[in-house]
């Protein structure tokens, strides 16, 4: 009898001590299984009461009940306390500094496009726009492209239907503008353009800013003056430009415009392939043949036009070696600008 009472007392103390030391609900659950569960020690002790002589059973039974109740109560109270302290630990701490939401910014290409347009607006140009899906007439025919010109080939142009295509340049906006308004015309036309091109300096979709001036007495020196002023504002005040003879069906004479290398200033380096110059745009005096298409009188007016690659301008200004950086959406790259 005294052995069983001792075992009950020992079990009670052990259980209470374990409960006191437990600090998580899962530790307390282990203790519940061990002492109060269906295969637990208290049930085992209660069962062993049956082995005692009948007259000793009430006293031992009372001791077992008392121990069981005490352990159950202590366990319940400990569980409430542990859960409460866990909740406090997980509670939202309103005194912590807040997390700032990520704020984006204008993409480098749009920054460049906006900057280019603003410079020309300050020089007195207005902004006009034209459609990206264009007809063969505006993209080629009215710009004096011969029927068998290579750029009309499927290899260069992305056609979307019979005589319907994704414009290969912003020059069709020249015709659309002249059709709508009589001279004088001083406009720039920014927008997306498309070609079957894809390498480190050419993208299938890219951006151009077209410039068109038609007014009385416009000469090639006006073209050079406007583009020199642009280069000084966009790149740096002393940036030199040069005009190189070229050919476009809609300008006569035509010129490619280069800027002095932004890296070496014209001495020759890897970026400019030792030439000292970097190509920026195509330009020229508007071919009088275009005036026939829009009903202008070539005896009274003359004009110049240019088409600048915006992606190219951004690459030159920021020293980018691969045009794809502008289209991949890599935040590590974009955050630098
Ligand atoms: C033209 O597109 C002519 N329309 C420009 C023009 C306008 C000439 C008015 C005369 C008068 P070109 O194909 O050279 O010309 O392109 C002009 C510029 O666009 C190039 O100097 C280059 O900067 C850019 N460019 C051309 N193709 C791509 C491409 N695939 N990816 C990125 N930029 C390009």
């Amino acid at each position: 009898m005294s052995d069983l009472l001792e075992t009950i007392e020992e079990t009670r103390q052990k259980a209470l001590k374990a409960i006191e030391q437990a600090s998580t609900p899962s530790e307390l659950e282990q203790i519940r299984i061990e002492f109060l569960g269906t295969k637990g020690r208290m049930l085992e002790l209660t069962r062993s009461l049956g082995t005692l002589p009948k007259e000793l059973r009430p006293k031992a039974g009372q001791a077992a009940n008392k121990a069981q109740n005490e352990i159950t109560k202590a366990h319940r109270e400990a569980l409430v306390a542990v859960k409460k302290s866990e909740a406090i630990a997980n509670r939202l701490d309103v005194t912590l500094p807040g997390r700032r939401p990520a704020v984006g910014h204008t993409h480098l290409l749009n920054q460049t496009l906006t900057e280019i347009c603003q410079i020309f607006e300050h020089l007195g140009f207005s902004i006009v726009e034209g459609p990206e899906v264009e007809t063969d007439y505006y993209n080629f025919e009215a710009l004096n492209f011969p029927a068998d010109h290579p750029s009309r080939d499927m290899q260069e142009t992305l056609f979307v239907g019979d005589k319907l295509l994704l414009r290969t340049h912003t020059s069709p906006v020249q015709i659309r503008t002249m059709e709508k308004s009589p001279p004088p015309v001083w406009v720039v036309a920014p927008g997306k353009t498309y070609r079957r091109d894809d390498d480190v300096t050419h993208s299938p979709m890219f951006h151009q800013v077209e410039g068109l001036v038609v007014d009385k007495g416009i000469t090639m020196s006006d073209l050079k003056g406007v583009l020199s002023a642009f280069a000084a504002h966009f790149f740096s005040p002393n940036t030199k430009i040069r005009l190189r003879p070229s050919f476009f069906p809609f300008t006569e004479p035509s010129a490619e415009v280069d800027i002095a290398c932004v890296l070496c200033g014209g001495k020759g380096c890897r970026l400019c392939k030792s030439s000292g110059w970097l190509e920026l745009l195509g330009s020229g005096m508007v071919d009088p043949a275009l005036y026939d298409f829009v009903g202008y009188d070539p005896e009274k007016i003359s004009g110049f036009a240019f088409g600048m690659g915006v992606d190219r301008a951004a690459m030159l200004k920021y020293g980018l070696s691969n045009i794809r950086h502008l289209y991949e959406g890599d935040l590590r790259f974009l955050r630098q600008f």
Side-chain angles (χ1 to χ4, degrees):
M1 161 72 179
S2 67
D3 280 359
L4 185 58
L5 286 178
E6 261 173 39
T7 312
I8 291 171
E9 179 56 16
E10 263 173 30
T11 308
R12 186 187 74 88
Q13 283 182 15
K14 234 178 165 180
L16 292 179
K17 192 168 178 203
I19 289 169
E20 197 187 315
Q21 287 172 349
S23 58
T24 64
S26 66
E27 281 172 23
L28 282 168
E29 179 58 9
Q30 285 306 315
I31 294 166
R32 188 193 66 76
I33 293 166
E34 185 181 343
F35 292 96
L36 303 171
T38 47
K39 290 179 186 165
R41 293 213 213 157
M42 290 310 296
L43 207 67
E44 224 172 75
L45 287 172
T46 312
R47 282 197 191 111
S48 65
L49 292 176
T51 59
L52 290 176
K54 222 174 179 184
E55 62 281 11
L56 298 178
R57 280 184 210 162
K59 195 174 176 198
Q62 272 172 13
N65 269 347
K66 197 167 165 256
Q68 165 104 11
N69 289 342
E70 242 182 277
I71 297 169
T72 306
K73 185 167 176 264
H75 184 271
R76 194 171 48 234
E77 286 170 2
L79 192 60
V80 170
V82 162
K83 282 190 175 164
K84 197 171 167 189
S85 61
E86 256 195 356
I88 289 170
N90 293 336
R91 198 177 54 184
L92 177 70
D93 183 351
V94 291
T95 64
L96 286 172
R99 288 193 199 113
R100 285 183 188 281
V103 179
H105 64 75
T106 310
H107 191 280
L108 176 60
L109 270 173
N110 277 329
Q111 287 180 36
T112 308
L113 205 58
T114 306
E115 192 184 349
I116 293 172
C117 288
Q118 276 172 354
I119 293 171
F120 284 109
E121 278 182 298
H122 284 136
L123 292 172
F125 287 72
S126 308
I127 310 273
V128 290
E129 283 183 336
E132 287 173 34
V133 177
E134 196 42 287
T135 60
D136 178 275
Y137 176 77
Y138 286 108
N139 198 82
F140 294 126
E141 196 177 329
L143 286 166
N144 209 27
F145 277 80
D148 56 356
H149 193 277
S151 61
R152 287 183 169 213
D153 197 285
M154 294 282 283
Q155 298 307 316
E156 289 255 342
T157 306
L158 295 152
F159 285 91
V160 291
D162 186 30
K163 304 255 174 198
L164 209 57
L165 45 90
L166 298 181
R167 66 178 176 190
T168 58
H169 52 175
T170 42
S171 299
V173 189
Q174 288 187 35
I175 304 296
R176 289 181 175 276
T177 307
M178 289 192 281
E179 271 180 351
K180 269 190 243 148
S181 39
V185 168
W186 290 72
V187 293
V188 283
K192 293 190 174 75
T193 44
Y194 303 83
R195 288 184 201 176
R196 288 188 61 160
D197 253 353
D198 194 9
D199 60 41
V200 290
T201 55
H202 294 86
S203 165
M205 192 276 280
F206 59 104
H207 301 75
Q208 286 189 340
V209 171
E210 191 79 7
L212 175 68
V213 171
V214 184
D215 208 336
K216 283 188 189 135
I218 297 292
T219 66
M220 199 94 178
S221 60
D222 295 308
L223 168 66
K224 188 165 184 190
V226 164
L227 292 177
S228 299
F230 167 79
H233 278 89
F234 185 75
F235 293 105
S236 64
N238 297 321
T239 306
K240 286 204 181 90
I241 66 165
R242 77 169 179 188
L243 273 64
R244 213 163 17 87
S246 183
F247 173 78
F248 297 100
F250 41 96
T251 46
E252 181 56 37
S254 305
E256 299 274 356
V257 175
D258 299 335
I259 58 159
C261 179
V262 285
L263 202 62
C264 65
K267 291 190 196 88
C269 68
R270 211 161 50 93
L271 182 65
C272 60
K273 299 194 182 93
S274 306
S275 71
W277 297 96
L278 298 165
E279 184 196 315
L280 179 62
L281 55 87
S283 69
M285 298 304 290
V286 178
D287 191 314
L290 266 62
Y291 299 138
D292 287 345
F293 284 95
V294 297
Y296 279 14
D297 182 353
E299 297 298 323
K300 294 190 180 150
I301 43 87
S302 56
F304 68 77
F306 58 85
M308 183 185 311
V310 176
D311 311 55
R312 177 71 51 85
M315 289 176 78
L316 295 181
K317 182 162 175 166
Y318 299 103
L320 312 180
S321 56
N322 193 333
I323 197 168
R324 293 182 185 117
H325 289 315
L326 296 170
Y327 293 98
E328 282 170 347
D330 187 334
L331 292 181
R332 291 169 304 176
F333 169 78
L334 294 173
R335 283 199 184 111
Q336 297 175 62
F337 304 98

